[in-house]
């Protein structure tokens, strides 16, 4: 708003009186009058109902579905757990590969007695990793910044934040986390792995991607808000399970910290997803499938 004599001019070009101007300084118990830029920002969010609308048409459609309706959920939970475990394995191996690259490059300088050169090479590579990690997030996908947990919890409480489950968000968060941890920053992959697990759970369960132009006609009956939130919850727990190798820890984390709606059936399905995730990640590491 522009300052002029006799009061200020608001976003609509109208002059405000002294009392209208004073609304900006009222207490937090008074309803806020949103400005244009605030309204545009709020339009990026959408409120969703957790439970599906059980209308007559919906009930009739559910009645016509085959008896394997519950098995579809278990199969999808297994697929999510496998994908999260595979992602955790690739991330840990990538961090190890980049870390060894930094050390080996600096060690070659140290072997010839060039201590200063080795220090500059090691520091330069680390700084390069940090710059690339920050650049791709800022320039290409700001939604991938941070741990991602607040966005997941917001979605599970009914707020649909745009683009947090896009394939680009998954890719940028994965690469950014890999480079940031490999650079030697005081950070770890555990927090982002929880968000990546939730992202995989919410995306893989739909069997479609707008970016990749893929729409697999499989388990379309699970493409609803309630099931997607359950898969997201299981994916977040699978991320904890794969990061720490603790299926029970993943279940407890999903139950206590992430989800707002819970039932006994979801407990067993989430635990199954966490077991598959931990088994996949640990098995791949134990079998020696490492990049040398």
């Amino acid at each position: 708003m522009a300052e002029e004599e006799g009061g200020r001019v608001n976003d609509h070009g109208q002059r405000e009186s002294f009392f209208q101007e004073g609304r900006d300084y009222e207490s937090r118990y008074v309803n806020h009058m949103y400005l244009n830029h605030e309204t545009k920002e709020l339009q990026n969010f959408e409120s969703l109902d957790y439970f599906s609308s059980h209308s007559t048409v919906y009930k009739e459609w559910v009645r016509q579905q085959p008896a394997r309706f519950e098995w579809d959920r278990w199969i999808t939970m297994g697929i999510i757990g496998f994908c999260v475990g595979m992602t955790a394995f690739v991330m840990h191996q990538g961090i190890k590969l980049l870390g060894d690259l930094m050390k080996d490059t600096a060690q070659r300088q140290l072997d010839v007695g060039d201590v200063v050169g080795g220090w500059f090479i090691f520091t330069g590579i680390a700084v390069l990793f940090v710059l690339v990690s920050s650049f791709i997030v800022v320039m290409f996908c700001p939604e991938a910044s941070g741990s991602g947990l607040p966005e997941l919890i917001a979605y599970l409480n009914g707020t649909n934040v745009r683009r947090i489950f896009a394939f680009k968000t998954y890719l940028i968060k994965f690469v950014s986390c890999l480079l940031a941890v490999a650079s030697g920053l005081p950070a770890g992959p555990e927090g982002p792995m929880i968000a990546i697990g939730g992202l995989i759970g919410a995306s893989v369960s739909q069997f479609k991607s707008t970016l990749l132009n893929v729409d697999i006609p499989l388990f379309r009956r699970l493409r609803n808000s309630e099931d997607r939130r359950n898969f997201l919850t299981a994916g977040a727990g699978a991320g904890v399970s794969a990061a720490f190798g603790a299926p029970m820890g993943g279940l407890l984390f999903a139950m206590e910290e992430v989800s707002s709606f819970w039932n006994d059936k979801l407990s067993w399905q989430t635990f199954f997803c966490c077991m598959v995730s931990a088994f996949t990640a640990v098995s791949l590491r134990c079998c020696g499938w490492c990049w040398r």
Side-chain angles (χ1 to χ4, degrees):
M1 299 182 184
E3 294 281 356
E4 293 189 7
E5 296 182 1
R8 295 184 300 181
V9 178
N10 58 24
D11 295 340
H12 303 287
Q14 300 173 346
R15 192 179 305 279
E16 290 185 341
S17 66
F18 171 79
F19 297 102
Q20 291 174 327
E21 183 177 333
R23 288 189 63 86
D24 295 339
Y25 310 104
E26 290 178 340
S27 69
R28 62 186 178 91
Y29 299 103
V30 180
N31 292 334
H32 178 66
M33 296 180 63
Y34 292 100
L35 304 177
N36 287 343
H37 70 277
E38 294 175 329
T39 303
K40 292 180 181 179
E41 180 67 22
L42 291 174
Q43 289 175 352
N44 293 326
F45 304 94
E46 181 183 359
S47 179
L48 298 176
D49 293 330
Y50 183 81
F51 296 105
S52 302
S53 57
H54 294 168
S55 62
T56 304
V57 177
Y58 176 79
K59 292 179 179 179
E60 179 64 21
W61 176 80
V62 172
R63 190 185 63 82
Q64 296 175 357
Q65 300 304 313
R68 67 173 185 275
F69 186 68
E70 287 301 324
W71 286 105
D72 294 350
R73 289 195 176 95
W74 286 93
I75 294 174
T76 305
M77 288 290 184
I79 295 174
I80 293 172
F82 175 80
C83 292
V84 174
M86 181 66 71
T87 300
F89 168 75
V90 174
M91 177 174 289
H92 281 84
Q93 296 304 315
I95 293 172
K96 181 179 183 300
L97 178 66
L98 294 178
D100 291 343
L101 175 64
M102 292 173 55
K103 295 176 183 177
D104 294 342
T105 305
Q107 187 63 43
R108 284 196 291 267
Q109 295 298 119
L110 296 177
D111 292 340
V112 298
D114 188 3
V115 178
V116 177
W119 183 86
F120 274 106
I121 290 176
F122 187 87
T123 305
I125 296 176
V127 172
L128 178 62
F129 285 170
V130 173
L131 292 177
V132 174
S133 174
S134 304
F135 178 81
I136 59 178
V137 171
V138 174
M139 298 301 298
F140 299 107
C141 189
E143 295 81 9
S145 61
S147 66
L149 287 178
E151 289 81 0
L152 296 187
I153 296 175
Y155 183 84
L156 290 174
N157 283 275
T159 302
N160 185 18
V161 185
R162 294 183 181 179
R163 295 181 293 275
I164 61 172
F165 300 130
F167 178 77
K168 183 172 71 172
T169 305
Y170 164 80
L171 185 62
I172 296 297
K173 184 178 285 290
F174 178 87
V175 176
S176 176
C177 176
L178 191 152
L179 293 175
V181 177
S183 67
L185 288 175
E190 290 79 12
M193 266 307 304
I194 300 173
I196 291 175
L199 192 152
I200 291 175
S203 303
V204 173
S205 61
Q206 307 303 296
F207 295 99
K208 67 176 181 179
S209 173
T210 304
L211 178 64
L212 302 178
N213 195 22
V214 174
D215 187 357
I216 303 175
L218 186 65
F219 303 159
R220 286 184 173 179
R221 60 179 67 85
L222 301 179
R223 294 180 183 178
N224 59 77
S225 178
E226 182 179 357
D227 282 318
R228 193 181 191 191
R229 291 166 192 266
N230 291 338
F231 292 134
L232 188 154
T233 300
V240 176
S241 178
F244 297 99
M248 185 59 70
L251 171 63
L252 294 177
F253 178 84
M255 182 187 301
E256 297 176 359
E257 301 294 337
V258 179
S259 182
S260 298
F261 298 85
W262 200 263
N263 56 62
D264 294 339
K265 185 186 302 181
L266 182 60
S267 299
W268 289 106
Q269 292 174 345
T270 302
F271 185 56
F272 172 70
C273 182
C274 292
M275 287 195 300
V276 173
S277 175
F279 177 80
T280 302
V282 173
S283 297
L284 292 177
R285 287 197 291 266
C286 292
C287 290
W289 291 6
C290 303
W291 301 336
R292 300 295 184 183

